[in-house]
Amino acid sequence: MERRFEGKTIVITGAAGGIGRSTAERFAQEGASVVAVDLPGSGLEDTVALVEAAGASALAVPADVSRSSDVERYVQAARARFGGIDCFFNNAGIEGWIGPTTQYPEEMFDKVIAVNLKGVFLGIKHVVPAMLERGSGAIVNTASIAGLTGTPSIFAYGASKHAVVGMTKSAALEFGPLGIRTNAICPSPIETRMMRALERGINPDEPEQVHQQMAAGNPMGRYGEPGEVAALVAFLCSSEASYLNGGIYPIDGGRMAR
Ligand SMILES: NC(=O)c1ccc[n+]([C@@H]2O[C@H](COP(=O)([O-])OP(=O)(O)OC[C@H]3O[C@@H](n4cnc5c(N)ncnc54)[C@H](O)[C@@H]3O)[C@@H](O)[C@H]2O)c1
């Protein structure tokens, strides 16, 4: 494995989840110090153990990305422990409610927007000043293929991920001239807790059948693995991606090629 992030620090939100944890491990293997952010009680200690097992330093910061004071706290913690932030994987997200839009609970709509949209905004708002201190930085926001096409059964989720795509483009234009690149990734179904929850939401009696159908509907006949997403995030944060800014990258086995 290359060590493209020796001496660098990455902040990862949703770091206790499938994609976030795998990305933490990947960056650790490539030499980065990792600030792992997730909700209290989410299992951040397992992410820290993986990072340390790879020989890297880790700092766990339990925080809610939708709360401004929590976001300021994780940024401050990163600066205090590692002296700054080089890379930011703005990744925490929730699937919300699954079902007909006319029955979508209003409180859940607000919650999905708070985590998936406002959380990404607050992350950019507070991480960028820390990156400016170093004169450079790379941000990767996690959108979804639901940020590229309509997804009627997860209405708020689709709205929030379209917003992540929009925020990525605006941030790229505003911060690109200042040395900070911002890109977004758009995964199709990936083997994590979130997909298990969606499968159960679509068919509580036979979630495995939903899994099989969705996998079969992908040109590659399967879901993606968290490690495959982590590899893309690492590339986008690396100096090899030095001219990539404002890009929206599907990682979907070809699903969006239809
Ligand atoms: N798994 C997929 O198929 C898929 C596809 C497209 C996009 N995504 C996106 O990838 C990202 C990661 O999801 P995942 O698949 O790893 O799912 P996951 O549920 O395993 O991980 C999400 C993590 O975010 C954390 N989180 C939720 N609310 C939070 C909050 N308010 N503050 C801090 N942390 C919070 C959760 O605790 C969890 O650890 C999400 O943004 C998701 O929307 C996932």
Side-chain angles (χ1 to χ4, degrees):
M1 179 93 44
E2 286 179 86
R3 290 181 69 82
R4 294 176 290 186
F5 303 107
E6 206 82 63
K8 305 275 189 197
T9 298
I10 183 167
V11 173
I12 299 175
T13 67
I19 292 171
R21 178 171 289 163
S22 184
T23 304
E25 186 176 22
R26 172 71 188 231
F27 274 77
Q29 288 164 347
E30 293 210 39
S33 299
V34 177
V35 179
V37 177
D38 208 304
L39 291 169
S42 56
L44 273 176
E45 57 283 357
D46 292 343
T47 300
V48 167
L50 276 176
V51 169
E52 290 178 346
S57 300
L59 174 67
V61 186
D64 180 342
V65 298
S66 68
R67 294 169 61 101
S68 201
S69 55
D70 282 22
V71 176
E72 287 181 65
R73 190 163 48 75
Y74 77 62
V75 171
Q76 194 42 44
R79 292 167 75 186
R81 172 74 184 271
F82 297 117
I85 300 170
D86 302 288
C87 309
F88 179 39
F89 187 30
N90 206 359
N91 166 71
I94 56 174
E95 66 277 10
W97 191 73
I98 301 147
T101 304
T102 51
Q103 291 165 34
Y104 204 103
E106 190 177 337
E107 322 74 62
M108 182 56 85
F109 186 91
D110 289 344
K111 186 165 184 206
V112 171
I113 296 302
V115 177
N116 295 9
L117 197 165
K118 187 178 169 194
V120 169
F121 154 65
L122 289 174
I124 292 170
K125 176 178 174 175
H126 293 290
V127 167
V128 164
M131 288 181 164
L132 288 176
E133 284 171 12
R134 297 202 157 173
S136 65
I139 298 171
V140 176
N141 298 321
T142 303
S144 166
I145 57 167
L148 302 173
T149 60
T151 43
S153 60
I154 44 172
F155 198 76
Y157 184 83
S160 71
K161 295 301 187 179
H162 274 76
V164 172
V165 168
M167 289 190 288
T168 300
K169 293 178 179 177
S170 296
L173 295 178
E174 185 172 352
F175 305 122
L178 306 176
I180 298 170
R181 298 183 296 103
T182 309
N183 292 289
I185 58 166
C186 296
S188 61
I190 306 296
E191 299 281 4
T192 72
R193 180 216 64 83
M194 186 174 284
M195 281 313 301
R196 300 288 94 76
L198 284 166
E199 289 158 1
R200 279 195 307 275
I202 292 166
N203 186 343
D205 299 327
E206 295 189 73
E208 181 55 30
Q209 200 178 70
V210 178
H211 184 287
Q212 298 302 336
Q213 282 167 354
M214 290 179 84
N218 186 286
M220 294 187 70
R222 64 174 176 87
Y223 283 15
E225 294 293 334
E228 294 177 310
V229 181
L232 175 60
V233 178
F235 170 70
L236 289 172
C237 286
S238 76
S239 58
E240 291 169 280
S242 52
Y243 201 53
L244 299 187
N245 184 37
I248 310 299
Y249 297 96
I251 172 155
D252 66 349
R255 169 98 179 266
M256 295 305 296
R258 287 217 171 87

